[in-house]
Amino acid sequence: MKKFEFQYNIKDLEQTGLCSKIANKFIIKHVASITNPDSYSLMFVQKLNKKIENKLLNVLESLIILPIQKWELPKEILENNECIYTENPRLQYAKIFSHILQKQRKNDSKYKMINNSRVGENVTIGENVEIEPFCVIENNSIIGNNCIIRSGTKVCSNVELANNVIIGENSVIGSQGFGFERDTSGKAYRLPHVGGVTIDQNVEIGARCTINSGTIDPTIIGRNVMIDDNVFIGHNAIVKEGCTIVGNAVIGGSSVIGEDTYFGPNSYIMNGKRVGRNCKIGVGSIAIKNISDETTVFGFPAKILKL
């Protein structure tokens, strides 16, 4: 998926009060996660370690927000980038990126109407696609061949649908995730979610479903996944190939779900947990721990069920 792009001279941050002094005049062009660091980007690090240090060695001309801790970075990282230090890097990232988006925001986006649905700019639509009335397809999205988007659905910016994807009525794909950070006074600052959603081929999504955008990297739905009505999938989640998710299930943000796993009605996996391949999560179960491959769990908290 193409990254969310912008153009911002980091020297301009001196005028905002968000940074007291910026030594360089780099132009940053996108955001990057520390999982997938990139040059010419804005990124933050919550805690430094040797693995992260090694990842940063090849990064150039980026604005890197770092924690205040006893860790001395190599000279080449400091010379090749603008590094700022703060007590809460995630909060500072939220403030800086929100400011950049405000400066970059366009008020003149052009939409076109297709079958009484609104389609934004830089949208690619494949062959034999059916978009029913009263849908919204936002900017910078890709719709593959043979897709069907039912009435009332919103496909937000930076969403990519592969071939043969069906989305049911009144679903929202790529909405802003519920991610924020509070300052010392308790004020909440939203983390902008620009990672989008990537949905592989032969996926079916029911009515009234919500799949949140990834914060920086995309939320991912693998091929041949079947999703029932009223399912919620949080930001940064990864649902791998062949999973079945039945009505009213909740997949918490940053969860990773292995291949061919089944989620029963009203089941729930907490944020950031990992479920192995070929697992079964019973009706109404709430998983609060990681689950190994080929395991059946049931209840609250979900416990292994031996059949």
Side-chain angles (χ1 to χ4, degrees):
M1 174 180 286
K2 187 178 180 181
K3 294 183 183 219
F4 178 85
E5 294 183 344
F6 55 85
Q7 298 273 334
Y8 188 81
N9 188 327
I10 63 172
K11 190 69 174 176
D12 293 344
L13 283 172
E14 288 185 341
Q15 311 303 319
T16 67
L18 294 171
C19 300
S20 58
K21 186 176 181 181
I22 299 292
N24 297 290
K25 296 182 179 180
F26 300 148
I27 303 293
I28 53 175
K29 300 178 180 180
H30 48 259
V31 292
S33 67
I34 199 58
T35 304
N36 300 297
D38 199 6
S39 298
Y40 318 113
S41 68
L42 169 66
M43 68 184 84
F44 70 95
V45 178
Q46 285 291 81
K47 187 175 181 179
L48 284 165
N49 56 45
K50 192 64 178 178
K51 183 177 179 180
I52 289 174
E53 179 184 295
N54 290 336
K55 286 185 174 185
L56 293 175
L57 286 172
N58 295 320
V59 172
L60 301 173
E61 297 189 13
S62 292
L63 178 60
I64 307 174
I65 306 170
L66 298 167
I68 298 172
Q69 69 179 86
K70 293 181 179 179
W71 191 283
E72 187 172 347
L73 286 172
K75 184 179 179 181
E76 54 264 45
I77 295 176
L78 300 174
E79 289 181 345
N80 291 335
N81 301 280
E82 182 76 31
C83 297
I84 59 176
Y85 293 85
T86 180
E87 293 285 351
N88 189 337
R90 191 168 183 259
L91 173 63
Q92 190 70 353
Y93 168 87
K95 290 180 177 180
I96 290 174
F97 191 29
S98 294
H99 163 75
I100 292 172
L101 290 178
Q102 185 66 36
K103 298 291 288 185
Q104 302 283 326
R105 183 167 292 132
K106 290 176 64 177
N107 296 317
D108 59 349
S109 293
K110 296 180 175 62
Y111 289 86
K112 59 184 177 182
M113 299 302 294
I114 298 177
N115 193 26
N116 286 321
S117 287
R118 193 172 76 163
V119 178
E121 297 181 287
N122 302 317
V123 173
T124 301
I125 299 177
E127 298 179 357
N128 195 33
V129 170
E130 180 182 351
I131 301 175
E132 293 185 348
F134 314 118
C135 295
V136 176
I137 313 296
E138 291 192 339
N139 300 341
N140 306 313
S141 292
I142 299 173
I143 312 296
N145 299 332
N146 307 310
C147 290
I148 300 174
I149 302 175
R150 302 295 188 192
S151 294
T153 287
K154 183 174 185 179
V155 177
C156 300
S157 297
N158 306 308
V159 168
E160 181 174 346
L161 309 183
N163 299 337
N164 307 309
V165 172
I166 300 174
I167 303 176
E169 295 84 354
N170 299 308
S171 291
V172 183
I173 311 300
S175 54
Q176 287 290 296
F178 193 59
F180 60 91
E181 195 73 20
R182 295 186 186 273
D183 64 15
T184 53
S185 72
K187 181 179 178 180
Y189 290 84
R190 279 274 191 173
L191 272 81
H193 287 62
V194 297
V197 177
T198 299
I199 299 178
D200 209 339
Q201 62 188 6
N202 304 319
V203 169
E204 185 170 333
I205 298 169
R208 300 175 303 278
C209 292
T210 299
I211 302 177
N212 285 160
S213 167
T215 311
I216 298 173
D217 299 320
T219 299
I220 297 173
I221 309 298
R223 68 177 60 193
N224 302 322
V225 169
M226 297 292 289
I227 300 174
D228 196 5
D229 299 342
N230 300 308
V231 167
F232 174 83
I233 298 177
H235 62 272
N236 302 329
I238 299 174
V239 179
K240 296 185 179 180
E241 178 177 350
C243 290
T244 301
I245 306 174
V246 183
N248 297 301
V250 174
I251 309 297
S254 300
S255 300
V256 179
I257 312 302
E259 295 88 346
D260 302 313
T261 283
Y262 172 89
F263 277 80
N266 297 297
S267 57
Y268 174 74
I269 176 74
M270 287 188 66
N271 295 359
K273 302 305 177 185
R274 302 180 73 90
V275 177
R277 59 179 175 79
N278 199 29
C279 293
K280 291 180 174 61
I281 315 300
V283 175
S285 297
I286 300 179
I288 62 174
K289 297 180 179 180
N290 294 339
I291 299 172
S292 302
D293 293 346
E294 301 184 351
T295 301
T296 297
V297 298
F298 184 80
F300 172 55
K303 295 182 180 180
I304 296 175
L305 183 63
K306 295 182 179 180
L307 301 175

